[in-house]
Amino acid sequence: MIALTLAEIAAVLGGELRLAASDTPETVVDGVVDTDSRVMEPGAIFVAKPGEITDGHRFVGAATEAGAVLAIVEHPVDVDVSQIVVPDAVRALADLARAVVARVRETGDLRIVGITGSNGKTTTKNFLARILQDEGETVAPIKSYNNEVGAPLTMLRVTPTTRFLVSEFGAAGAGSIAQLAGLVEPDVAVVLMVGLAHAGGFGGIEQTARAKAELVESARAGGTAVLNVDDPRVAAMRSIADDRGLTTVGFGQGAAAEVRASAIDVTAAGTSAIVHADGTEQPLQLQVLGAHHISNALAAIAAAQVLGVTVSDSIARLETVEIAERWRMQPMGNDSVRIINDAYNASPDSMAAALRTLAQITSPGERTVAVLGAMSELGEAAGEEHDRIGLLAVRLNIQRIVVVGPDARRLFLSAVGEGSWDGEAVHLPDQDAAFEYLQTELRTGDRVLVKSSNSVGLRHLGDRLGELFS
């Protein structure tokens, strides 16, 4: 974080400053800010966030022992460390992030990109961060830090010399993206797609679209909206951008896209395409698996172009990216049995894309195996969407469909009903049963996809299979 005095931080938060014996209001702090006492280091600021399982106030002592010099708390704690007492620690975290970013904007050369979408946020964030890091100091979220805690923690990592802040915004409900994006007012607002991920929590896909549009509505005056024009709901956000006086850059495969891809091809070695932008046609060869990642790459290229990076430079840097993120189309195993661990999360769109990738990268004589768990947060659409994935798996000729867990049973039943009734599809109660089955079932030449929502935890099964065949 940038250097601030204890008095300045207390004023920003509107909190009561309680000083440790060794401090004064003019004591300066500039260490990391976090809610996890385990990552504290000398000079750090610990935010004692109450949680569903435990309370951060219990760990103020541990944070202090690890080097924290300031605790932001909701009630005083009997620990010898300076404390700022606030009504709401999470809100205080947001207020501090807003103030820090605003100060860096005033004194530095900071440009901010906000990214949202039902799928692809983390991959696009990683792609764009890789492009921008060669241009100057770049701050981007760790993993998927995109909620009311993770987004401000990322913002608080900016320094006076940070040139680019890439923020990823997830939607917990109506108004949540507006709240998070409003902390920084991005110069560039990137909307990837509107899908059924989390649709159950929003009440339907149209409500999801309205939530994603909040990012465009929160963009900085004179900024740019980078929109997926292949998605009609995202393309419709152009009118919002126009009303706000934003420049619009479209990406996709259609003719309306200013940054466009053609000749997309997926093999076991990666994903290739021709990128059309700025009147040029340039080849792109990603090491990352999956045709859907071309759209994420186009979004990153378009956003970087707005920030002054040439298309050729963006492509060269993207081609160095080996994996999108851990547990996202992550290659594991060996040449005999290849595992694709894509179980960080799942929606109907990402599940379908992963299954198509599995079919595309499998050569004659090799066998496709899909290990699938439930897709969460789909609400009333859950049953129908699991049915669709079961049908798709059979129609893609996936030769072994291993369904794990009770919440995914309809996927199994759908696959059986579509024709995988002679042992091609099996339903197993949990990860341990699936691992035991796969140890004896997998053979040389198998190409295995592991896919589920994060809450199901099949990413750990993918890790076990990767280790087994490493």
Side-chain angles (χ1 to χ4, degrees), residues 119-345:
N119 295 300
K121 294 185 293 297
T122 299
T123 298
T124 304
K125 171 262 297 185
N126 288 341
F127 281 167
L128 182 57
R130 173 62 193 91
I131 293 171
L132 295 177
Q133 70 184 29
D134 286 0
E135 299 294 315
E137 182 181 317
T138 300
V139 171
I142 302 167
K143 300 179 182 177
S144 292
Y145 272 27
N146 60 26
N147 63 10
E148 63 178 356
V149 174
L153 288 178
T154 299
M155 297 167 189
L156 286 165
R157 289 168 46 214
V158 301
T159 73
T161 55
T162 301
R163 284 197 60 198
F164 303 105
L165 168 63
V166 181
S167 288
E168 178 183 338
F169 298 124
S176 60
I177 290 178
Q179 181 179 0
L180 293 175
L183 299 177
V184 295
E185 297 183 343
D187 300 284
V188 184
V190 182
V191 185
L192 301 172
M193 66 173 297
V194 175
L196 283 170
H198 314 299
F202 287 97
I205 195 165
E206 296 305 328
Q207 287 75 15
T208 303
R210 283 195 283 274
K212 303 303 182 186
E214 291 171 11
L215 179 57
V216 180
E217 295 166 346
S218 301
R220 192 174 181 84
T224 303
V226 174
L227 304 176
N228 178 3
V229 292
D230 289 346
D231 184 325
R233 292 182 176 88
V234 178
M237 297 177 195
R238 186 186 292 267
S239 63
I240 299 173
D242 290 343
D243 290 344
R244 299 202 62 247
L246 305 178
T247 302
T248 303
V249 177
F251 67 92
Q253 297 181 51
E258 286 88 357
V259 179
R260 184 170 62 86
S262 66
I264 298 172
D265 186 41
V266 183
T267 69
T271 311
S272 62
I274 301 298
V275 176
H276 306 258
D278 261 356
T280 67
E281 298 181 4
Q282 302 182 52
L284 168 66
Q285 179 63 61
L286 293 175
Q287 299 181 60
V288 180
L289 297 174
H292 52 298
H293 287 311
I294 293 296
S295 181
N296 300 330
L298 294 177
I301 291 168
Q305 191 177 23
V306 172
L307 297 172
V309 184
T310 67
V311 174
S312 58
D313 281 347
S314 289
I315 287 174
R317 295 166 193 174
L318 287 175
E319 291 182 337
T320 69
V321 178
E322 295 182 359
I323 63 171
E325 180 70 86
R326 187 181 181 192
W327 299 319
R328 287 177 170 86
M329 299 303 287
Q330 181 180 359
M332 307 177 78
N334 54 39
D335 289 340
S336 176
V337 177
R338 292 179 185 164
I339 312 294
I340 303 172
N341 192 350
D342 192 37
Y344 184 82
N345 224 331

Side-chain angles (χ1 to χ4, degrees), residues 428-449:
L428 299 166
D430 53 39
Q431 291 188 49
D432 288 338
F435 183 70
E436 184 177 346
Y437 170 79
L438 291 164
Q439 282 186 91
T440 57
E441 172 65 22
L442 296 181
R443 65 193 190 201
T444 298
D446 282 351
R447 303 297 175 251
V448 185
L449 169 71

Side-chain angles (χ1 to χ4, degrees), residues 386-425:
H386 282 87
D387 288 346
R388 290 179 188 273
I389 294 302
L391 292 174
L392 178 64
V394 176
R395 291 170 183 176
L396 288 172
N397 196 31
I398 305 300
Q399 292 152 285
R400 285 290 183 273
I401 303 170
V402 181
V403 181
V404 184
D407 292 341
R409 183 169 175 78
R410 276 194 62 165
L411 195 161
F412 164 72
L413 294 174
S414 175
V416 170
E418 185 66 9
S420 292
W421 48 265
D422 193 21
E424 297 94 342

